[in-house]
């Protein structure tokens, strides 16, 4: 990509680098149960050991348990290169996230630390994230239009107030765009996840791609909808439609094509 920082950070990061995914693994630490927005496609009410989707974990960990978990897995699997927090709620809405990452960074400074966030609190969290060793950030951006976003998000909770409809969606995108820009300026690599929701944002994702690229994102990951929550009646987009959209948007921003829609407690290589 011509960006030395990006090349350095992602060389062994399986979520950013398809070639690295064959050889290197990651650990997701499920320490963050609380969330500050309500996505209409999200439900975290149950778990199945054979279910692979975001927001699912079999066990919530304390920071101390998470550190022990990393210790065990690193000793067992020398391919581990990345430790991150991706839920099962919003990592930055949980104090345990930063505490956990600090513990892991002190013990394993050579592991890449990353975080997956909705971006609402990203800007104000960047100083503590950098202190905790975080170098890679994934922001879920499903809409940059308040009208489209109001169909995806039921509410956004921010600083003691609840914002609904277009107001909540606009607040969220403004926070996301500012957070992406500042994360990039701070030297982090930034990936954007966008859930492809048929009939809701499928024709809007080109606008999303242009907006997140302008904000500073390095790469985009289009994730096909898993019908659940309020969108349980929708059909998931077929793979050929997802691939066609990725090809269409790749001239705008690089596209990830090997995502496994990992659980909040995923570990090992993506395969």
């Amino acid at each position: 990509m011509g960006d030395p920082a990006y090349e350095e950070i992602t060389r062994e990061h399986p979520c950013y680098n398809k070639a690295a995914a064959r050889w290197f693994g990651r650990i997701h630490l499920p320490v963050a149960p609380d969330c500050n927005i309500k996505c209409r496609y999200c439900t975290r009410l149950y778990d199945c050991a054979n279910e692979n989707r975001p927001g699912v974990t079999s066990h919530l960990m304390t920071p101390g348990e998470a550190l022990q978990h990393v210790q065990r897995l690193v000793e067992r699997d020398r391919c581990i290169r990345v430790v991150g927090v991706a839920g099962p709620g919003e990592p930055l809405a949980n104090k345990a996230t930063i505490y956990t990452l600090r513990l892991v960074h002190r013990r394993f400074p050579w592991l890449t630390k990353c975080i997956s966030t909705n971006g609402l609190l990203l800007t104000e969290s960047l100083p503590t994230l950098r202190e905790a060793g975080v170098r890679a950030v994934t922001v879920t951006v499903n809409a940059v239009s308040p009208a489209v976003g109001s169909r995806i998000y039921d509410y956004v909770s921010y600083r003691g107030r609840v914002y609904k409809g277009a107001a909540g969606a606009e607040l969220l995108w403004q926070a996301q765009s500012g957070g992406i820009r500042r994360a990039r300026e701070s030297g982090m690599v930034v990936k954007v996840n966008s859930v492809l929701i048929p009939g809701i944002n499928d024709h809007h994702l080109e606008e999303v791609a242009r907006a997140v690229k302008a904000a500073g994102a390095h790469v985009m990951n289009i994730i096909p909808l898993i019908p659940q929550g309020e969108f349980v009646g929708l059909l998931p987009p077929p793979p050929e439609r997802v691939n066609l959209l990725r090809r269409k948007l790749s001239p705008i921003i690089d596209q990830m094509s090997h995502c496994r829609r990992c659980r909040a407690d995923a570990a090992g290589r993506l395969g």
Side-chain angles (χ1 to χ4, degrees), residues 4 22 24 43 55 102 140 145 205 252 263:
R22 295 181 57 194
F24 303 114
T43 180
R102 283 174 175 160
T140 299
S145 157
L205 288 185
I252 301 171
R263 296 163 55 101

Side-chain angles (χ1 to χ4, degrees), residues 21-67:
R22 295 181 57 194
W23 307 105
F24 303 114
R26 82 294 188 227
I27 303 171
H28 287 179
L29 300 175
V31 297
D34 297 332
C35 197
N36 48 15
I37 70 173
K38 179 64 175 75
C39 302
R40 299 185 190 277
Y41 56 74
C42 180
T43 180
R44 297 181 286 122
L45 298 179
Y46 59 92
D47 167 44
C48 170
N50 297 316
E51 188 174 28
N52 192 53
R53 63 173 174 83
V56 169
T57 183
S58 296
H59 171 65
L60 285 171
M61 296 182 183
T62 66
E65 289 173 334
L67 180 62

Side-chain angles (χ1 to χ4, degrees), residues 30-225:
V31 297
D34 297 332
C35 197
N36 48 15
I37 70 173
K38 179 64 175 75
C39 302
R40 299 185 190 277
Y41 56 74
C42 180
T43 180
R44 297 181 286 122
L45 298 179
Y46 59 92
D47 167 44
C48 170
N50 297 316
E51 188 174 28
N52 192 53
R53 63 173 174 83
V56 169
T57 183
S58 296
H59 171 65
L60 285 171
M61 296 182 183
T62 66
E65 289 173 334
L67 180 62
Q68 294 174 5
H69 182 60
V70 174
Q71 178 75 52
R72 287 193 299 270
L73 292 181
V74 168
E75 290 176 353
R76 183 194 314 166
D77 186 353
R78 297 297 179 180
C79 294
I80 298 296
R81 293 293 185 276
V82 176
V83 174
V85 179
E90 162 53 34
L92 298 182
N94 293 262
K95 292 181 179 179
T97 296
I98 298 296
Y99 185 43
T100 300
L101 290 170
R102 283 174 175 160
L103 289 176
V104 174
H105 189 53
R106 290 194 198 106
R107 178 63 183 82
F108 303 97
W110 51 273
L111 291 175
T112 296
K113 316 306 177 306
C114 67
I115 195 166
S116 181
T117 175
N118 60 36
L120 184 62
L121 302 176
L122 180 55
T123 295
E124 57 202 76
S125 301
L126 282 173
T128 52
L129 288 174
R130 287 195 295 268
E131 178 191 348
V134 173
R135 304 185 72 193
V137 176
T138 294
V139 184
T140 299
V141 181
N142 298 317
V144 299
S145 157
V148 177
S150 67
R151 301 178 66 189
I152 299 173
Y153 307 108
D154 182 31
Y155 65 79
V156 174
S157 177
Y158 182 65
R159 293 186 176 177
R161 288 188 58 187
V162 174
Y163 299 80
K164 297 184 73 72
E170 183 172 14
L171 171 66
L172 179 60
W173 165 239
Q174 291 304 315
Q176 291 170 333
S177 60
I180 292 170
R181 183 172 295 106
R182 288 169 177 79
R184 174 69 181 264
E185 290 170 352
S186 73
M188 295 181 181
V189 298
V190 182
K191 175 166 65 72
V192 163
N193 284 350
S194 296
V195 180
L196 172 56
I197 310 170
I200 304 292
N201 71 347
D202 43 353
H203 297 294
H204 177 57
L205 288 185
E206 181 174 349
E207 186 178 350
V208 172
R210 294 187 186 280
V212 298
K213 178 65 175 180
H218 292 88
V219 63
M220 182 182 194
N221 176 29
I222 297 173
I223 303 176
L225 173 75

Side-chain angles (χ1 to χ4, degrees), residues 208-249:
V208 172
R210 294 187 186 280
V212 298
K213 178 65 175 180
H218 292 88
V219 63
M220 182 182 194
N221 176 29
I222 297 173
I223 303 176
L225 173 75
I226 300 174
Q228 56 187 4
E230 294 184 40
F231 291 158
V232 68
L234 296 181
L235 292 175
E240 56 270 21
R241 185 176 181 188
V242 179
N243 291 332
L244 180 64
L245 185 57
R246 286 172 178 156
R247 289 194 295 270
K248 179 182 178 181
L249 301 186

